[in-house]
Amino acid sequence: MVFLRMKVVNLKQAILQAWKERWSDHQWAINIKKNFPKGQTWDYLNFAEALMEQAMIGPSPNPLILSYLRYAISSQMVSYSSVLTAISKFDGFSRELCVMSLLEIMDMFCHRLNCHGKAEDCIGLCRALLGVLVWLLQGCAFYCEKLRELGPSPSIEAALKACQERLHHLMSSTKIRALVHIARLEDQGSWGNAEQAVLKVSDGLVNVPNQTLRAKLEESLSLVKSIPLMLSVQSDPPVRASFPSVHAFIMLEGTMNLTGEIQPMVEQLMMIKRMQRIPAPLFILEIWKACFTGLIESPEGTEELKWTAFTFLKIPQVLLRLKKYPQSDKGQDFVEDVNAAFQFLLKLTPLLDKADQRCNCDCLSMLLQECNKLGLLSDPNTENLTSKRTEDREFSPRLKTAENANIQPNPGLILRAEPTVTNILKTVDADHSKSPEGLLGVLGHMLSGKSLDLLLAAAAATGKLKSFARKFIKLNEFPKHISGEGSKSASVRALLFDISFLMLCHVVQTYGSEVILSDPSPSGETPFFETWLQTCMPEEGKTLNPDHPCFRPEPGKVESLVTLLNNSSEMKLVQVKWHEICLSTPAAILEVLNAWENGVLSVEAVQKITDNIKGKVCSMAICAVAWLVAHVRMLGRDEREKPQTMIRQLVTPNFAENTLQFYNERVIIMSSIMEHMCADVFQQTGAVLRAPVEGQEPIPYRNLLPAKEPIHKALSKQFQVVLRKGWVDSRALHLFESLLNMGGVFWFTNNLIKELLKETRQEWATRVVELLYSIFCLDTHQITLTLLGTILPNLLTDSAHWHSLSDPPGKALAKLSVWCALSSFSSHHKGPLSARQRKRQREDIEDYNSLFPLDDTQPSKLMRLLSSNEDEPAALSSPASETNSQTRRCMTQEKLQGPLHFAVKTERDRSMSSSLSASQLHTVNMRDPLNRVLANLFLLVSSILGSKMAGPHTQFVQSFLEECVDCLEQGSRGSILQFMPFTMVSELVKLPALAKPRIILAITDLTLPLGRRVAAKAISAL
């Protein structure tokens, strides 16, 4: 340190000697270099600052010493950053000639600012630029203040103009703004000084008499203020009127996920809006269009009620959450966006008219009222929109038949059902142990007509269905407790058990078993219905074992039940434990079936037994059919006749006079439950459960797969239909889900990606991306794992597939991959799987552990990647590591035998430091399958960029990264780009399309010191 101080003192003496002896700049440079041997640069001696200090001693600059400084700059004896730092330390703004000289020195190199040294030197340039920015702003503020004190002055105005011109010149460069942006994050204190200087200049603008100069100063200040917002500036979205992704996602949620929570749905919608940069009014319009389309095309019955509840109860709540969500759209209130969306919707008269015909009411006016109640629309806007729709309806075709006039509109019924659900929950929650008859009246009313479906739809749409089911499970447990009872109380107890059992079965078949099973019972003991549901009830995609112990209770109970069913004219009710009867029924049915098949019982005797089973308590018949369905699945075609006959006997209602109360209502629900249970086994052999009833619709969305057609043809054909139509309807979604369940995730994803790669027209390829993204929402997480972990690596590492990655399909695939990755990455940690995703086995953990091993016994690249530390990337700034990265081997065919093999072999050719990414410094859990797949994909991308072989696969990588940047949220630490190795940045800047300051800022994690150094090094070299 003492030696360094001596050198600085000697340097100042040498400068003075040169000035005294009037050395020329050339002679001065020779003598300086002879007496002061330099290191890499002369900056360690503060050479530029020493020259500047000596040159600016007097009221005007010393021209000779300034010539020495100019020579040092021209001959690169000093770095640009050291000169800028020296300039920023000069505070004598009153010496206008000195200031002008410094500005002229800046003019020598500011048009070609760059730095090809170490990362530390590049960060130094960033800091120096921020310093000189503060200096220029302080100069402008000083001269504005002088104009206020002294009035108009040509010399001061000239100095102000000179400072403004250099400020504008610097800030007009995107590269320099990017470097200042990095310095802002590196040194918050200096940026605070810049903001204060901006405020001072803004306040002083009123003192500038020259209007032109004042306007230019305002423009320069706006450029300075834009620096923190560099990453949020995006190009204008393409102008279009429809957005299939939003439409299809709403269709999927309304058709398959009415019970889903609102927040995940809101976040997914915002993800789509952000990725596609959809204007808010058009975004809301697309939501309403999808809702009305769903209302129009939904099958009559339960599905129609579900869509009505979704549209009139759930979507307004979704919009209310969107209103509270941080909006990226600036300058417009969300309420105004909702109003604008409804204004656009009013123009779609045929759609609204069709919905009004279907619902037999003015749908839009009812929606407007609901939105107004929630504060989504102002009163004047609501009145204006309602009056416009009323005028339009005067000319709309309406079915004014007498029959139609008596039908109550579903929207009105649903809106009235919503508060009724709350009242029923309170009623059921009360203590009815002393007088359960009152509760029975409430339950009986719920069974009449379509009341139950209305109440369940309203509960599902408002998030109360789980609570509803939990209350009825508790009610189903109530009849277990028997104390000396008469026939009346026994009847009430039997009815409470039966009605609650029927309701719960109906809930499970309509909304999925997850409604009941997702929340464990509050008490330690598992309720009877939950046990029965898990082990005995047939569901889609669930196979039951008819020999399971749950179907084999105590033999004594079975024998007594068989005797009771065979000998009695009707079931006894007093002192009966109904849950035990239900568990014994399957074994009793097996005894009866065996007796019938062995000729012990006649058809008439079997009919009598089945009549007894269904005559009083419908739940017995349901338990019997549940076991028969499981039994029939295990039988051959020729062995099914008698079990199926028993099922038909049980399904047929028994209209005897001595039935219990509410039998007709109960038997309708019972028949519906049984039809759903039996649909698959009867369809296997083409048998019919019962003759079709005129006017009765078949079970919606069942048996959609065409017979005798390969499923890959069915998938291709259905996708082409959807592509030509331009949007996905409910039926198509159910068909796609059936194909996904049947073919598996890889088969489904791979074949749809093949459909995308067939498209060679830009417009159609873009449409395919939007449609596929919405279809992939059937199981985003699993499909994303397959796409990024298997399909993309296969395409990128096999040269035989590279031709398929040419634009436009290659660019479209890159867009789809990024959308899926972002959606899955942002959502898969935030909540449980949806009901539709639980139907498939979750194999991802096992599959991806084998594909990308993380234990010490296998040579996984990620295992080594995880062992890296933050100190190793020091090699990033060394010339040797640059050389290594440029001389990596060319990817050849024999080395690319699959993604895992590729990842392991390339490890030998690269240092561990080249694998370090921001995700490791953020300690992201690499045992998560998606994180692991993303890390491996970016390692593969990095290797492709570092190879010497270019082609369509290189273009795909470029498109992939451009899309990542376009979809990026400003300051989002959770971006998928955190898995990108830091060394990849130096490879990216070799591609002209990616060699842009904003892209480099976007792809590096600027919250990390290492990320800022990498970005500074890459941008400084541009």
Side-chain angles (χ1 to χ4, degrees):
M1 193 69 187
V2 174
F3 178 73
L4 183 59
R5 283 201 203 99
M6 288 176 61
K7 283 209 164 192
V8 171
V9 171
N10 292 338
L11 178 62
K12 290 181 178 179
Q13 291 175 350
I15 294 171
L16 288 173
Q17 182 183 353
W19 173 69
K20 288 176 183 176
E21 297 179 9
R22 297 296 189 267
W23 291 349
S24 68
D25 51 10
H26 182 67
Q27 184 182 5
W28 170 81
I30 292 172
N31 289 330
I32 285 291
K33 289 178 182 179
K34 188 184 299 181
N35 295 305
F36 295 91
K38 72 179 183 71
Q40 189 174 357
T41 70
W42 293 74
D43 291 347
Y44 76 104
L45 292 176
N46 290 331
F47 195 29
E49 186 176 343
L51 286 170
M52 195 89 66
E53 191 178 304
Q54 295 297 324
M56 300 295 165
I57 289 176
S60 61
N62 187 313
L64 183 60
I65 298 179
L66 276 184
S67 70
Y68 299 162
L69 179 59
R70 289 193 181 93
Y71 188 91
I73 294 170
S74 301
S75 59
Q76 297 185 353
M77 291 172 66
V78 291
S79 66
Y80 297 146
S81 58
S82 66
V83 176
L84 291 173
T85 302
I87 290 173
S88 64
K89 291 181 178 178
F90 180 78
D91 56 1
F93 290 109
S94 57
R95 292 182 283 168
E96 294 158 19
L97 293 176
C98 291
V99 171
M100 296 297 283
S101 297
L102 294 178
L103 294 176
E104 288 169 3
I105 288 174
M106 283 177 58
D107 292 342
M108 291 179 63
F109 56 85
C110 278
H111 60 283
R112 50 185 170 84
L113 272 174
N114 54 41
C115 178
H116 297 281
K118 296 180 180 180
E120 289 74 13
D121 298 333
C122 299
I123 285 289
L125 178 60
C126 296
R127 289 174 177 272
L129 282 168
L130 177 55
V132 87
L133 169 65
V134 173
W135 183 77
L136 287 170
L137 287 167
Q138 289 173 342
C140 291
F142 176 85
Y143 294 124
C144 287
E145 181 64 19
K146 281 294 180 184
L147 286 172
R148 184 185 68 80
E149 293 174 359
L150 305 176
S153 167
S155 61
I156 294 175
E157 199 169 304
L160 177 60
K161 183 179 180 183
C163 288
Q164 179 274 323
E165 285 175 351
R166 272 65 175 194
L167 177 64
H168 189 272
H169 180 264
L170 282 178
M171 292 297 100
S172 297
S173 166
T174 307
K175 173 181 173 179
I176 290 177
R177 288 206 309 278
L179 293 173
V180 173
H181 180 72
I182 294 170
R184 179 182 75 88
L185 299 173
E186 193 78 14
D187 187 354
Q188 294 288 345
S190 295
W191 179 251
N193 295 337
E195 289 178 319
Q196 289 177 3
V198 167
L199 291 175
K200 286 182 181 178
V201 176
S202 300
D203 294 340
L205 285 177
V206 293
N207 305 318
V208 181
N210 187 327
Q211 296 296 327
T212 305
L213 179 57
R214 185 189 299 178
K216 288 181 178 179
L217 273 169
E218 289 174 347
E219 184 182 347
S220 301
L221 292 179
S222 67
L223 288 171
V224 176
K225 292 175 185 177
S226 72
I227 290 173
L229 306 174
M230 283 195 73
L231 289 179
S232 62
V233 178
Q234 292 182 320
S235 57
D236 293 331
V239 179
R240 53 204 173 103
S242 64
F243 302 91
S245 294
V246 179
H247 189 105
F249 179 71
I250 293 295
M251 295 297 289
L252 186 144
E253 289 290 312
T255 305
M256 298 182 177
N257 201 25
L258 180 61
T259 58
E261 294 180 13
I262 288 179
Q263 191 57 33
M265 180 180 174
V266 168
E267 289 178 358
Q268 184 66 28
L269 281 169
M270 286 304 297
M271 175 68 72
I272 297 172
K273 179 179 182 292
R274 188 166 52 244
M275 289 191 303
Q276 300 186 30
R277 288 174 284 153
I278 307 173
L282 296 181
F283 174 67
I284 300 167
L285 171 65
E286 199 66 41
I287 293 174
W288 288 128
K289 281 164 62 179
C291 288
F292 278 94
T293 305
L295 273 176
I296 292 165
E297 69 167 25
S298 58
E300 288 186 17
T302 305
E303 292 298 319
E304 183 181 357
L305 293 176
K306 286 164 71 174
W307 260 108
T308 308
F310 181 75
T311 302
F312 289 87
L313 293 178
K314 189 167 186 177
I315 289 297
Q317 291 295 329
V318 168
L319 291 180
L320 190 61
R321 294 279 183 97
L322 286 170
K323 179 183 178 182
K324 297 173 183 176
Y325 207 93
Q327 297 292 319
S328 57
D329 295 359
K330 303 295 181 185
Q332 189 158 2
D333 183 34
F334 188 79
V335 173
E336 287 303 315
D337 291 332
V338 174
N339 179 50
F342 275 119
Q343 295 283 1
F344 290 139
L345 188 61
L346 275 174
K347 297 176 183 177
L348 304 177
T349 310
L351 179 72
L352 299 178
D353 290 347
K354 190 77 175 173
D356 287 357
Q357 284 183 10
R358 177 69 193 271
C359 298
N360 194 31
C361 66
D362 185 353
C363 293
L364 186 64
S365 295
M366 297 182 78
L367 265 182
L368 293 172
Q369 293 302 323
E370 288 304 302
C371 290
N372 178 250
K373 288 177 189 175
L374 295 173
L376 295 168
L377 275 175
S378 64
D379 291 338
N381 287 340
T382 305
E383 293 173 10
N384 180 39
L385 291 164
T386 305
S387 63
K388 285 183 180 180
R389 179 57 189 154
T390 305
E391 290 174 16
D392 290 344
R393 290 189 86 229
E394 292 296 324
F395 307 100
S396 63
R398 273 176 281 179
L399 301 175
K400 299 180 181 178
T401 62
E403 180 186 354
N404 221 37
N406 295 326
I407 297 175
Q408 287 189 292
N410 283 335
L413 294 173
I414 281 287
L415 291 171
R416 287 200 294 276
E418 193 255 337
T420 308
V421 170
T422 307
N423 293 333
I424 288 175
L425 289 174
K426 290 178 182 176
T427 303
V428 175
D429 223 15
D431 182 10
H432 297 282
S433 56
K434 295 180 180 177
S435 137
E437 292 83 1
L439 179 60
L440 195 58
V442 174
L443 299 182
H445 178 70
M446 288 175 65
L447 295 177
S448 61
K450 56 183 180 183
S451 296
L452 180 59
D453 283 328
L454 273 168
L455 292 168
L456 292 180
T462 53
K464 296 173 184 172
L465 188 60
K466 286 185 180 181
S467 177
F468 196 93
R470 185 58 54 197
K471 299 282 192 259
F472 279 86
I473 286 176
K474 184 179 176 183
L475 183 62
N476 188 252
E477 293 288 291
F478 173 71
K480 278 185 179 181
H481 312 292
I482 307 171
S483 54
E485 62 178 2
S487 59
K488 183 178 179 182
S489 59
S491 298
V492 171
R493 193 169 56 81
L495 281 170
L496 288 177
F497 177 86
D498 198 42
I499 291 173
S500 58
F501 188 91
L502 289 169
M503 286 182 176
L504 289 167
C505 286
H506 187 63
V507 167
V508 168
Q509 288 188 336
T510 310
Y511 297 100
S513 58
E514 289 74 19
V515 172
I516 290 169
L517 300 177
S518 58
D519 293 333
S521 177
S523 61
E525 184 183 355
T526 304
F528 158 72
F529 185 81
E530 286 188 32
T531 305
W532 182 84
L533 169 61
Q534 290 175 291
T535 54
C536 306
M537 183 174 178
E539 287 184 276
E540 187 182 357
K542 176 178 165 184
T543 304
L544 298 173
N545 175 13
D547 298 322
H548 191 278
C550 71
F551 294 122
R552 298 287 179 270
E554 297 172 21
K557 293 180 180 178
V558 175
E559 287 177 18
S560 61
L561 179 59
V562 171
T563 305
L564 184 67
L565 293 172
N566 194 28
N567 298 330
S568 303
S569 58
E570 63 178 43
M571 283 288 299
K572 301 292 185 289
L573 303 177
V574 179
Q575 298 293 318
V576 173
K577 295 183 177 180
W578 290 109
H579 62 287
E580 291 183 1
I581 293 289
C582 286
L583 290 175
S584 303
T585 299
I589 286 292
L590 175 59
E591 293 294 328
V592 172
L593 183 60
N594 287 337
W596 186 19
E597 289 177 340
N598 292 313
V600 177
L601 290 176
S602 64
V603 177
E604 292 76 14
V606 173
Q607 181 71 59
K608 176 188 172 186
I609 291 172
T610 55
D611 286 346
N612 274 339
I613 290 174
K614 67 188 177 185
K616 296 271 186 192
V617 181
C618 296
S619 47
M620 281 182 67
I622 290 174
C623 292
V625 169
W627 178 82
L628 284 167
V629 167
H631 180 65
V632 168
R633 282 185 187 276
M634 304 298 162
L635 301 178
R637 186 187 185 102
D638 299 334
E639 301 170 298
R640 293 187 172 193
E641 182 181 350
K642 287 185 178 178
Q644 287 183 343
T645 301
M646 288 186 75
I647 290 173
R648 291 190 185 96
Q649 289 175 350
L650 289 164
V651 170
T652 308
N654 181 13
F655 294 106
E657 293 181 3
N658 58 352
T659 55
L660 280 175
Q661 194 178 3
F662 307 122
Y663 180 75
N664 290 343
E665 290 85 356
R666 285 185 289 126
V667 83
I668 290 172
I669 298 176
M670 178 194 79
S671 298
S672 169
I673 292 168
M674 289 180 178
E675 282 183 39
H676 280 82
M677 283 182 173
C678 304
D680 288 341
V681 291
F682 273 80
Q683 187 257 344
Q684 286 173 357
T685 56
V688 179
L689 179 60
R690 62 183 179 183
V693 180
E694 186 178 352
Q696 184 175 350
E697 293 288 327
I699 300 173
Y701 308 127
R702 294 295 282 267
N703 305 326
L704 294 175
L705 291 176
K708 299 179 181 178
E709 183 178 57
I711 58 173
H712 73 88
K713 283 189 178 178
L715 179 63
S716 179
K717 187 184 294 184
Q718 181 60 54
F719 183 73
Q720 289 303 319
V721 169
V722 165
L723 181 58
R724 286 193 296 273
K725 187 189 289 188
W727 53 280
V728 188
D729 58 24
S730 300
R731 184 185 179 282
L733 283 169
H734 278 275
L735 179 54
F736 282 129
E737 188 186 38
S738 299
L739 290 164
L740 173 58
N741 292 333
M742 183 173 289
V745 176
F746 175 78
W747 173 87
F748 182 79
T749 311
N750 194 44
N751 278 284
L752 286 177
I753 294 300
K754 287 178 182 176
E755 295 293 328
L756 168 59
L757 295 177
K758 290 177 187 175
E759 290 301 332
T760 56
R761 294 166 292 178
Q762 180 68 51
E763 182 183 349
W764 284 78
T766 302
R767 180 185 290 188
V768 171
V769 169
E770 296 197 10
L771 292 172
L772 282 185
Y773 173 75
S774 54
I775 292 168
F776 286 175
C777 286
L778 286 167
D779 194 347
T780 304
H781 186 54
Q782 284 291 298
I783 288 174
T784 301
L785 287 174
T786 303
L787 176 61
L788 303 184
T790 306
I791 295 173
L792 280 189
N794 288 341
L795 289 171
L796 290 170
T797 56
D798 187 350
S799 59
H801 292 142
W802 286 353
H803 69 280
S804 63
L805 296 175
S806 302
D807 285 347
K811 190 168 186 175
L813 177 57
K815 184 185 288 285
L816 177 64
S817 302
V818 172
W819 287 5
C820 289
L822 287 173
S823 297
S824 187
F825 187 76
S826 66
S827 65
H828 85 290
H829 292 302
K830 293 182 180 177
L833 300 170
S834 68
R836 62 178 181 274
Q837 293 174 1
R838 286 198 187 91
K839 291 180 183 176
R840 289 175 293 285
Q841 290 183 335
R842 316 309 298 171
E843 299 174 350
D844 54 335
I845 302 299
E846 292 81 0
D847 290 349
Y848 288 92
N849 270 340
S850 61
L851 181 59
F852 305 121
L854 282 176
D855 57 38
D856 296 328
T857 61
Q858 293 171 291
S860 168
K861 186 165 193 174
L862 276 193
M863 193 64 243
R864 302 182 188 186
L865 184 151
L866 288 168
S867 67
S868 303
N869 57 55
E870 191 172 348
D871 296 326
E872 286 169 332
L876 281 170
S877 59
S878 68
S881 70
E882 290 290 325
T883 307
N884 289 337
S885 68
Q886 292 170 4
T887 56
R888 280 180 293 192
R889 60 176 172 78
C890 171
M891 291 189 300
T892 56
Q893 187 60 38
E894 62 270 20
K895 291 178 181 177
L896 301 175
Q897 298 169 0
L900 178 61
H901 180 74
F902 172 80
V904 173
K905 290 194 75 173
T906 52
E907 180 64 39
R908 302 168 192 157
D909 303 291
R910 304 178 65 189
S911 64
M912 283 193 293
S913 64
S914 67
S915 301
L916 186 66
S917 65
S919 62
Q920 295 159 255
L921 303 184
H922 287 311
T923 61
V924 171
N925 176 22
M926 281 298 177
R927 293 200 173 274
D928 179 87
L930 181 61
N931 293 347
R932 208 151 61 244
V933 163
L934 285 167
N936 274 276
L937 179 62
F938 274 104
L939 288 173
L940 175 58
V941 165
S942 180
S943 296
I944 290 172
L945 289 172
S947 72
K948 296 178 182 177
M949 184 181 294
H953 63 304
T954 317
Q955 180 65 36
F956 172 86
V957 167
Q958 177 177 313
S959 301
F960 181 86
L961 291 165
E962 285 176 337
E963 190 61 33
C964 285
V965 172
D966 285 343
C967 297
L968 187 75
E969 283 185 89
Q970 187 186 13
S972 61
R973 168 179 156 176
S975 165
I976 61 172
L977 284 168
Q978 66 180 308
F979 295 98
M980 185 186 74
F982 285 119
T983 50
M984 202 169 114
V985 178
S986 60
E987 304 290 349
L988 285 177
V989 295
K990 297 174 186 176
L991 299 174
L994 297 176
K996 298 173 183 175
R998 181 181 172 273
I999 289 180
I1000 295 171
L1001 287 179
I1003 62 178
T1004 48
D1005 191 337
L1006 299 177
T1007 63
L1008 295 172
L1010 181 57
R1012 294 195 289 270
R1013 276 155 179 72
V1014 169
K1017 182 173 172 57
I1019 295 172
S1020 299
L1022 293 178

